[in-house]
Amino acid sequence: MGLKSLVIDAWSWLNYKPVYSDPSLGMPNRRAFPEAHASWVPAADERRLAAYKLLAAYDNNQAGELAELRDGPSARERREFGDPSMFIDTLVAHVMGREQHIIVPGAEQTDTENETTAAAAERVQGLLRDWADNELLPMRMLQCERKAVGLGDGVYLLYWDPAKQRPRLKTYDPGFYFPVLPEDGDGADYPDRVHIAWELPEDPKRGLKPRLRRITYELDWIRPATASGIDRAGRAVRAPVMSDPTDDTPAAPVLGRGDQVDDTGAISRMYPWSDEPAYRTCYLTDATWELGDLKGGVDVDDLPMDKASFATNGSGEVLDHLDLLIDFIPVVHVPNTVPPAEEHWGQSSLAKALQAFDELASTDTDSARASATTGLPMIGISGITNHRHDQHVGPGTLFTLGENGRLTAVDTSPALRELRAHGHDLADRAANVVRLPAVSLGTMDPSKVPSGYALELSLGPLDSLISGMRLARDHKDRLLLRFVQRLFLAGQHPDWAGVTPLPARLVRGPYTPTDKAAVLEQVATAYKAEVISLETAIRMLTEAGWPIDGAEKEIEQIQARSFEQARMLADALGNPDEVAAFLGRQAPDEQVAPAVQLPSLPAAATVDDPAAQRQQGSRGNE
């Protein structure tokens, strides 16, 4: 028998569990984790898949059921009251925030110097928000976040749907995700080859045997065009497209539309989101194998292609190295935490608190047993006169005792009280390890909070925790929105014609209680003192939880009623068009003022005219 070695890896915090780390071999129990020991699963992924299943069991109150496979029926008696699931739900709510907004920098600017840039950013932002509404992005995020928080990793998959004319977003269990990581590469870099694989059960009604399905995305050099065909065995495959031979030239591979061959013989193409020619593209393969055909030392990355049955999409294209005409893999891996140096995987938020949850479950089990003796106490009877009948304790029961008879009840409530107090201590210990203060779990009495400042200090560990978790997701959120823009362009959606992809961010809302009145006072004071712009003020109010649907629309509505500022703008510029644009209205047509019509001079007055004589006077001074 080989000696057990100490294993320290991304899942070694589970080594204390005998069902996960066998005392003799140090490997997960085969009966408890048969999926991790499947013949096609790489050896490096066995502990990862077993960890996912064990964490899922804690989330679903089935840790005792899983331990029963190794420790026997006694392990099934443990009480599990959903504490791990409550922690996961709380953390998911905090990391998601109360709302999510897609922001394209520059879309909220109202200056007139960069109108073209602001209009382009506003257009991209509006299109992305429409896509998020149609694709139910918050719900997809919630699905992925629950996997990431509970298991340590989440996976998004994007693909173009010709019927709906938009990129579709799917969430996969990380247990189906098998990236091919290079041995000498950085684990933080995304791999060039990704598998999403899972087993399909036997279906006797359809005559189907147990199968393995594998979807592969791979970045590789651009090759000549291919088309759907059939091989000699009758399987649907893809074959190179050849030109018609002539008397002078033989048949040759045909290039794809827009592809070119450079001086070195390499094939390049221009993608609509790049100004430089690209030499690589993403190939999609969707195939199924019968498990009986997987013999020998093969794993998910080197399955026998001659035994594969390739799928066909809705357009009739065989998914055998199908060129997707994109230069990226549309799979986004979301780690729950920032991975360690040269690592790829995140860590579950329950990782360091699992032993506390085990102790809490044991305490709850002991409390359940102790409550039975407290609710139905044990009675000691001495000096009974009638021994012919069994004694039963119940309401209205009469006991006939002798001269020195006694009736004694065994009080076990102090032990139950201690067990419950110990349970509260363990729950607080688990919350401290996870860095979830009582106020975030809703278990703190609000009347016991001395002040708002003390409450803010108690949220310090939670702030650092959520900041780190959001930091791990920030780049992935940007990557997701970048892929969405590129898929719209690759799908040639008419609304995206002429659109240049722009950096976009997914802003998550606040997760702690916010004093909206205090934030409003700060914003109003700063804006009145002209130390922040209107755009910054609106952004601060949005982050504080004010119901503002769109910053740019809110700014337009505010400016449309700012007549005093419009008057000052008119005095400064003297341009009615600028003032009308500021108010969001149309300037009135400028009317030319009519020329002044002066009255004509009267004709030369005569001496006989009395009025003229009066005007001339006596001229006595002449």
Side-chain angles (χ1 to χ4, degrees):
M1 181 179 66
L3 297 177
K4 179 182 177 180
S5 59
L6 175 64
V7 178
I8 299 179
D9 57 10
W11 301 275
S12 56
W13 40 270
L14 280 171
N15 286 348
Y16 80 97
K17 302 284 292 184
V19 71
Y20 182 79
S21 181
D22 188 86
S24 58
L25 301 177
M27 295 301 294
N29 186 276
R30 286 184 173 272
R31 289 188 59 204
F33 308 103
E35 305 87 358
H37 294 281
S39 61
W40 56 271
V41 174
D45 292 308
E46 290 182 4
R47 287 171 56 84
R48 176 173 69 91
L49 299 188
Y52 290 156
K53 184 175 182 179
L54 183 56
L55 289 168
Y58 273 90
D59 185 18
N60 293 281
N61 293 344
Q62 292 180 287
E65 183 178 351
L66 188 63
E68 180 186 10
L69 297 175
R70 180 190 180 275
D71 301 331
S74 60
R76 191 72 175 270
E77 298 178 1
R78 60 178 282 167
R79 297 292 191 271
E80 299 178 76
F81 297 144
D83 295 279
S85 180
M86 179 190 65
F87 276 50
I88 293 175
D89 291 337
T90 302
L91 285 171
V92 168
H94 289 337
V95 77
M96 286 275 294
R98 288 196 288 269
E99 64 274 331
Q100 303 80 35
H101 300 284
I102 295 177
I103 300 296
V104 176
E108 301 171 0
Q109 299 300 322
T110 58
D111 56 347
T112 58
E113 296 181 357
N114 298 316
E115 291 184 355
T116 304
T117 303
E122 184 178 357
R123 182 182 180 188
V124 172
Q125 179 175 276
L127 291 173
L128 285 176
R129 289 181 176 181
D130 291 341
W131 169 82
D133 292 339
N134 294 330
E135 198 57 26
L136 306 177
L137 180 60
M139 185 187 72
R140 303 298 183 189
M141 289 179 60
L142 183 61
Q143 294 173 344
C144 185
E145 290 295 350
R146 212 177 190 290
K147 294 289 185 182
V149 173
L151 305 181
D153 302 282
V155 178
Y156 287 122
L157 172 64
L158 283 163
Y159 66 95
W160 177 255
D161 188 342
K164 295 185 178 294
Q165 283 291 295
R166 71 170 185 264
R168 303 300 306 276
L169 182 63
K170 295 182 64 175
T171 301
Y172 276 98
D173 189 287
F176 299 163
Y177 172 66
F178 295 90
V180 181
L181 302 174
E183 295 182 357
D184 55 349
D186 188 353
D189 293 337
Y190 207 72
D192 292 340
R193 185 177 172 91
V194 172
H195 305 293
I196 298 176
W198 66 95
E199 288 188 8
L200 300 173
E202 182 181 6
D203 189 352
K205 293 183 178 180
R206 300 171 56 190
L208 298 176
K209 299 179 180 179
R211 293 149 293 149
L212 170 66
R213 184 179 178 185
R214 189 191 75 180
I215 302 174
T216 301
Y217 292 90
E218 181 180 9
L219 282 178
D220 203 352
W221 302 109
I222 299 175
R223 296 190 287 266
T226 59
S228 301
I230 299 177
D231 65 1
R232 295 180 180 179
R235 297 184 309 151
V237 294
R238 298 196 69 83
V241 177
M242 307 296 290
S243 63
D244 295 332
T246 63
D247 296 337
D248 299 331
T249 59
V254 176
L255 298 181
R257 180 181 301 177
D259 294 350
Q260 296 180 353
V261 179
D262 61 10
D263 298 337
T264 62
I267 303 175
S268 65
R269 71 168 58 124
M270 295 293 297
Y271 292 105
W273 50 83
S274 177
D275 296 331
E276 299 292 334
Y279 293 87
R280 301 217 296 172
T281 187
C282 180
Y283 293 98
L284 168 63
T285 301
D286 187 352
T288 304
W289 288 262
E290 291 186 0
L291 293 181
D293 293 335
L294 304 181
K295 301 177 181 179
V298 298
D299 60 23
V300 69
D301 190 45
D302 57 359
L303 298 176
M305 301 305 295
D306 58 333
K307 301 292 185 180
S309 298
F310 298 103
T312 304
N313 63 12
S315 302
E317 296 287 347
V318 178
L319 303 183
D320 174 18
H321 290 85
L322 175 65
D323 190 349
L324 296 181
L325 303 177
I326 55 178
D327 60 349
F328 59 91
I329 294 179
V331 179
V332 180
H333 167 241
V334 182
N336 182 50
T337 57
V338 177
E342 299 182 357
E343 291 291 339
H344 184 77
W345 307 103
Q347 188 178 82
S348 170
S349 295
L350 304 181
K352 304 301 173 58
L354 277 188
Q355 295 192 46
F357 287 128
D358 285 343
E359 291 293 330
L360 185 59
S362 299
T363 302
D364 290 338
T365 303
D366 295 339
S367 298
R369 292 169 177 170
S371 63
T373 61
T374 302
L376 187 62
M378 295 175 288
I379 304 296
I381 303 177
S382 62
I384 192 170
T385 57
N386 187 0
H387 298 278
R388 288 181 295 181
H389 300 285
D390 295 334
Q391 304 300 324
H392 298 281
V393 179
T397 303
L398 177 65
F399 296 96
T400 304
L401 304 179
E403 181 179 356
N404 297 322
R406 297 182 59 186
L407 188 65
T408 304
V410 180
D411 185 12
T412 60
S413 59
L416 178 61
R417 191 178 305 110
E418 289 296 326
L419 285 172
R420 289 182 173 177
H422 184 53
H424 289 303
D425 292 340
L426 288 173
D428 293 340
R429 184 71 173 270
N432 292 335
V433 172
V434 181
R435 290 187 287 174
L436 276 177
V439 64
S440 66
L441 292 171
T443 58
M444 174 180 286
D445 186 357
S447 62
K448 295 182 179 180
V449 180
S451 65
Y453 183 69
L455 177 63
E456 186 176 355
L457 288 178
S458 67
L459 292 173
L462 179 64
D463 290 338
S464 62
L465 171 65
I466 300 301
S467 297
M469 295 174 69
R470 290 189 174 184
L471 177 62
R473 291 158 171 78
D474 182 66
H475 172 66
K476 305 299 182 178
D477 293 341
R478 296 170 186 258
L479 198 63
L480 178 68
L481 297 178
R482 185 193 308 167
F483 288 171
V484 169
Q485 297 180 66
R486 293 184 176 183
L487 285 175
F488 267 117
L489 294 177
Q492 299 180 358
H493 193 283
D495 293 344
W496 286 76
V499 174
T500 301
L502 297 175
R505 297 187 298 114
L506 185 62
V507 178
R508 301 168 186 252
Y511 55 89
T512 56
T514 305
D515 189 351
K516 295 183 179 179
V519 173
L520 177 61
E521 183 179 358
Q522 294 175 358
V523 171
T525 302
Y527 180 67
K528 185 177 181 180
E530 299 181 355
V531 295
I532 62 174
S533 64
L534 181 58
E535 291 81 4
T536 303
I538 296 298
R539 188 181 303 113
M540 292 175 63
L541 292 177
T542 302
E543 293 176 354
W546 283 77
I548 299 176
D549 295 333
E552 64 279 359
K553 294 183 180 179
E554 193 72 19
I555 292 173
E556 292 176 358
Q557 294 175 358
I558 292 174
Q559 290 181 346
R561 296 169 177 83
S562 302
F563 299 110
E564 182 63 24
Q565 294 183 4
R567 184 188 62 81
M568 298 172 60
L569 182 63
D571 293 341
L573 300 180
N575 188 341
D577 293 333
E578 292 286 347
V579 177
F582 176 80
L583 294 174
R585 305 188 182 192
Q586 183 177 1
D589 296 335
E590 185 176 355
Q591 298 180 357
V592 179
V596 179
Q597 300 290 334
L598 297 177
S600 59
L601 293 175
T606 62
V607 180
D608 296 338
D609 189 352
Q613 292 180 0
R614 286 194 298 269
Q615 291 177 2
Q616 292 179 356
S618 63
R619 302 177 68 88
N621 293 330
E622 293 183 357

